[in-house]
């Protein structure tokens, strides 16, 4: 099975964009399978920088790109992102971009609700991207969503809209917000439908056909395993399953199609938004990691929280996502540290753990147990072979492999696509 599924193995922002771009050159199809425009994937191609939130990264190189049913789609954002990329010279047509008929829509009141809830939550807020992701997924599982295929049947939307607006109007009343303006909503949907519908296809069929023709499919995960609704640091998570298994349910290809699972892992740890982060460094070290790593959110511009590499969490991600190999990114950010630390366990009260317990309070109280390892003074930026790396950097990588129980497939040493040390070709497996 020559497919590859790329997922983040931490809290997102691991540098998936570059890796997916690098792999998409050899893929026949690139598919998004969960999340929405909360993602931020940065691609550097030559002297151009592309920032994608919703569209699969393959689109930049003209590879057939599909948005699977597991994605929640804001149709207005879709139109804006298509326009932005076209403005950068990217060719986007229904021949190279498809949207699944069954994607639930993110509507304007989902975005409102996301913001209202965050504003009302004070210190307990999740720190969402405020893009309506959570409320849209709630409507999906509540069986009241408007889906992409409904855009072709707007005249039949009446009873569905009744259920949806009844639900949301009650919520809005609780926030002293006016009820949904149905006429305005219908007008907006009618206006956007013409733009969206040409892209709408039975994506599951496209992918199954591609599979039977022996084509290479690249599944592009968004966010990270620790933000997974089931396996992440709940409730400080996103509202979708971000684990590799979702590549199947979020596209309609079946579990055997996932292929090689490539977990993207940053050489240290970052997190945006609230929630537990045992190895966080709220000090000079965190500051230095953030500055050297340019750790600001692609979508919201928020400063990312930074800390040491947490081997416990990545080991857990490797297990729950069934990771075959990892891509280690941003190693060069650690250049010049005299000493590095790796979190190898937690102390919670008088107990020690070699995994992160599920309860939010235990997670919040988890104190990291560190192992110290010597750093290196040389630069690793731009390294393209093991011979270019200092011995201590190799030692650091080998120790990470041991602790997480998974081997490195590639090492990325700068945002440039060619600054990559390839150990094993995921597509060749
Ligand atoms: P939501 O996905 O907007 O509901 O946000 C829920 C949590 O996931 C927040 O902590 C966000 O900061 C985080 N999050 C969502 N998308 C991303 C991403 O692409 N990278 C990193 N964190 C993300």
């Amino acid at each position: 099975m020559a497919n590859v599924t790329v997922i983040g193995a931490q809290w997102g922002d691991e540098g998936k964009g570059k890796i997916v771009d690098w792999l998409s050159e050899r893929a026949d199809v690139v598919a998004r399978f969960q999340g929405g425009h909360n993602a931020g994937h940065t691609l550097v191609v030559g002297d151009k920088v592309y920032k994608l939130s919703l569209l699969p990264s393959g689109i930049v190189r003209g590879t057939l790109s599909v948005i699977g049913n597991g994605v929640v789609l804001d149709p207005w954002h879709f139109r804006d992102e298509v326009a932005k990329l076209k403005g950068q010279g990217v060719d986007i047509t229904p021949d190279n971009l498809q949207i699944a008929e069954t994607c639930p829509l993110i509507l304007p009141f989902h975005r409102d609700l996301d913001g209202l809830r965050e504003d009302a939550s004070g210190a307990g807020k999740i720190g969402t991207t405020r893009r309506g992701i959570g409320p849209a997924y709630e409507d999906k599982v509540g069986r009241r969503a408007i889906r992409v295929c409904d855009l072709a049947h707007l005249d039949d939307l009446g009873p569905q809209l009744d259920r949806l607006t009844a639900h949301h109007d009650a919520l809005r009343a609780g926030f002293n917000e006016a009820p949904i303006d149905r006429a305005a909503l219908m007008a907006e949907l009618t206006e956007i439908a013409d733009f969206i519908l040409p892209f709408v296809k039975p994506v599951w069929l496209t992918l199954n056909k591609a599979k039977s023709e022996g084509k290479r499919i690249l599944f592009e995960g968004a966010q990270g395993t620790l933000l997974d609704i089931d396996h992440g640091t709940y409730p400080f998570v996103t509202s979708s399953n971000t684990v590799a298994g979702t590549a199947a349910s979020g596209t309609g290809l079946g579990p055997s199609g996932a292929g090689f699972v490539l977990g993207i892992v940053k050489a240290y740890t970052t997190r945006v938004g609230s929630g537990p982060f045992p190895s966080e460094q709220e000090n000079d070290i965190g500051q230095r990691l953030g500055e050297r790593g340019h750790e600001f959110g692609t979508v919201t511009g928020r400063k990312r929280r930074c800390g040491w590499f947490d081997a416990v969490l990545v080991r857990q991600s490797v297990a729950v996502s069934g990771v075959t190999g990892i891509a280690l990114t941003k190693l060069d950010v650690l250049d010049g540290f005299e000493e590095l630390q790796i979190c190898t366990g937690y102390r919670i009260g008088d107990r020690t753990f070699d995994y992160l317990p599920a309860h939010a309070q235990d997670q919040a109280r988890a104190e990291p147990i560190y192992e110290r390892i010597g750093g290196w003074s040389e630069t690793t930026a731009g390294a393209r072979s093991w011979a270019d790396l200092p011995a201590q950097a190799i030692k650091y990588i080998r120790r990470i492999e041991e602790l997480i129980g998974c081997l490195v497939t590639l090492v990325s040493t700068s945002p440039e696509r060619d600054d990559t040390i390839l150990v094993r070709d995921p597509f060749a497996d």
Side-chain angles (χ1 to χ4, degrees), residues 327-357:
L328 191 69
T329 64
K330 298 184 107 168
L331 183 67
D332 56 300
V333 172
L334 300 180
D335 292 352
F337 275 93
E338 205 166 301
E339 187 185 72
L340 303 168
Q341 299 190 42
I342 302 176
C343 174
T344 57
Y346 306 119
R347 199 168 285 111
I348 303 173
D350 52 10
R351 289 186 64 191
T352 57
F353 289 82
D354 62 0
Y355 65 93
L356 189 66

Side-chain angles (χ1 to χ4, degrees), residues 311-325:
V312 184
L313 292 181
V314 176
R315 184 166 61 226
Q316 203 156 322
S317 294
V318 164
V320 298
S321 265
V323 171
T324 321

Side-chain angles (χ1 to χ4, degrees), residues 161-332:
L161 216 50
D162 289 342
R163 291 198 331 113
L164 187 63
T165 53
H167 178 81
H168 278 274
D169 285 346
L171 290 172
R172 291 170 72 86
F175 287 104
N176 288 322
E177 289 290 314
I180 292 165
D181 181 341
R182 280 180 64 143
L185 178 63
M186 281 305 287
E188 285 182 282
L189 289 172
T190 307
E191 189 261 328
I192 197 69
D194 287 345
F195 186 81
I196 300 294
L197 287 172
F199 295 98
V200 179
K201 302 272 160 55
V203 158
W204 62 273
L205 211 51
T206 304
L207 292 176
N208 275 277
K209 192 159 168 279
K211 183 183 172 193
S212 63
E213 288 169 357
K215 297 216 164 121
R216 293 168 158 187
I217 305 169
L218 176 61
F219 294 97
E220 178 179 13
Q223 291 86 47
T225 303
L226 298 166
L227 289 170
D228 182 278
I229 187 76
D230 290 305
H231 297 286
T233 46
Y234 192 92
F236 300 100
V237 291
T238 192
S239 297
S240 64
N241 282 110
T242 58
V243 291
T246 317
S249 60
T251 61
L253 190 64
S256 63
F260 189 106
V261 178
L262 184 64
I264 316 297
V265 175
K266 191 144 50 179
Y268 50 101
T269 313
T270 63
R271 163 160 218 177
V272 237
S274 325
F277 181 173
S279 66
E280 182 171 16
Q281 296 297 302
E282 290 179 279
N283 52 28
D284 289 352
I285 294 167
Q287 180 83 12
R288 182 163 161 193
L289 290 171
E291 278 165 17
R292 289 187 53 98
H294 309 290
E295 297 294 355
F296 293 91
T298 315
V299 171
T300 59
R302 286 179 292 176
K303 201 170 169 183
R304 295 178 186 142
R305 301 155 63 193
C306 298
W308 293 122
F309 186 81
D310 188 332
V312 184
L313 292 181
V314 176
R315 184 166 61 226
Q316 203 156 322
S317 294
V318 164
V320 298
S321 265
V323 171
T324 321
I326 66 162
L328 191 69
T329 64
K330 298 184 107 168
L331 183 67
D332 56 300

Side-chain angles (χ1 to χ4, degrees), residues 11-13 38-40 126-129 133 223 227 237-238 272-273 302:
W11 278 294
D13 309 314
N38 50 348
I126 290 170
T128 73
T129 58
I133 306 293
Q223 291 86 47
L227 289 170
V237 291
T238 192
V272 237
R302 286 179 292 176

Side-chain angles (χ1 to χ4, degrees), residues 342-409:
I342 302 176
C343 174
T344 57
Y346 306 119
R347 199 168 285 111
I348 303 173
D350 52 10
R351 289 186 64 191
T352 57
F353 289 82
D354 62 0
Y355 65 93
L356 189 66
H359 198 271
Q361 275 183 15
D362 285 337
Q363 295 184 351
R365 286 167 54 223
E367 286 172 34
I369 300 169
Y370 287 118
E371 178 177 302
R372 290 166 190 276
I373 182 165
W376 54 92
S377 55
E378 304 90 328
T379 178
T380 61
R384 294 183 181 184
S385 76
W386 289 109
D388 295 336
L389 292 181
Q392 270 309 116
I394 296 175
K395 208 168 153 190
Y396 182 71
I397 297 172
R398 294 292 177 234
R399 186 62 186 137
I400 284 177
E401 289 181 323
E402 269 170 25
L403 288 168
I404 66 172
C406 190
L407 295 180
V408 163
T409 297

